């Protein structure tokens, strides 16, 4: 995605990762894809992103192998953007970033809540990540839930509208 990797950093895994996903809109598109969004108009409406910027980001994400572009309608041609295995592998990263940011807000300012819907022992609540054997994955929008992707653990996040300010 961002092509700002210095020559001396090309072998650094962090630099390489940031080169793929280290841009605001890319992370937000991934976030929505994890919530089940797959169509251009869904991303655009939910994110409030311009069509030209969204087109550019989706093209880069497809080129990087994070999303697959698949036609779902022939006339007029319409495409959906589905997470690839590489894209799905970023789910825990995006959820942990969201949890980290959310944990630094006052309770009334938080816009999402991590919910562990898996049966059995619960992760340590003082950590934004799950215990071994489970990963925070997540649903983070206020829209109806999308079907869970294959291999989805059951942990979810839900976005809540901010309460009115007094």
């Amino acid at each position: 995605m961002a092509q700002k990797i210095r020559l001396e950093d090309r072998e650094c895994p962090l630099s390489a990762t940031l080169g793929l996903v280290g841009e605001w809109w890319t992370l937000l598109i991934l976030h929505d894809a994890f919530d089940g969004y797959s169509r251009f108009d869904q991303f655009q409406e939910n994110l409030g992103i311009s069509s030209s910027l969204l087109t550019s980001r989706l093209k880069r994400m497809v080129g990087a192998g994070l999303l697959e572009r698949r036609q779902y309608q022939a006339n007029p041609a319409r495409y959906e953007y589905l997470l690839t295995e590489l894209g799905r592998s970023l789910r825990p990263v995006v959820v942990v970033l969201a949890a980290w940011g959310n944990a630094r807000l006052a309770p009334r300012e938080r816009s999402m809540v991590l919910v562990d819907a898996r049966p059995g022992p619960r992760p340590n609540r003082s950590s934004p990540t799950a215990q071994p054997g489970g990963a925070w994955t997540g649903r983070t929008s206020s829209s109806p839930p999308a079907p869970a992707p294959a291999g989805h653990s059951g942990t979810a996040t839900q976005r809540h509208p901010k309460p009115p300010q007094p």
Side-chain angles (χ1 to χ4, degrees), residues 12 26 31 47-48 63 108 111-112 114 139 166:
C12 172
T26 300
H31 178 258
L47 296 173
R108 73 176 200 284
S111 62
M112 69 176 66
L114 286 172
R139 184 180 134 56

Side-chain angles (χ1 to χ4, degrees), residues 72-91:
Y72 69 88
Q73 179 179 309
N75 192 10
R78 299 269 190 247
Y79 298 88
E80 60 185 351
Y81 297 86
L82 305 171
L83 287 161
T84 63
E85 188 62 35
L86 181 63
R88 284 189 298 274
S89 72
L90 289 165
R91 184 184 199 113

Side-chain angles (χ1 to χ4, degrees), residues 12-68:
C12 172
L14 182 57
S15 293
T17 301
L18 288 173
L20 283 175
V21 298
E23 191 274 327
W24 171 343
W25 288 114
T26 300
L27 287 171
L28 293 177
I29 292 166
L30 282 170
H31 178 258
D32 277 3
F34 295 135
D35 281 354
Y37 294 94
S38 63
R39 297 186 177 174
F40 189 94
D41 58 329
Q42 293 172 324
F43 289 121
Q44 188 173 30
E45 182 179 339
N46 196 52
L47 296 173
I49 185 174
S50 73
S51 60
S52 61
L53 189 53
L54 180 56
T55 298
S56 168
R57 293 304 180 265
L58 289 172
K59 188 174 185 177
R60 287 182 191 176
M61 293 172 76
V62 168
L66 300 173
L67 297 174
E68 173 190 348

Side-chain angles (χ1 to χ4, degrees), residues 105-152:
L105 297 173
R108 73 176 200 284
E109 295 175 336
R110 294 180 184 162
S111 62
M112 69 176 66
V113 176
L114 286 172
V115 178
D116 184 357
R118 297 173 300 167
R122 300 292 184 244
N124 176 351
R125 296 292 181 216
S126 65
S127 169
T129 59
Q131 297 295 313
W136 287 113
T137 59
R139 184 180 134 56
T140 52
S141 77
S142 55
S143 61
H152 174 62

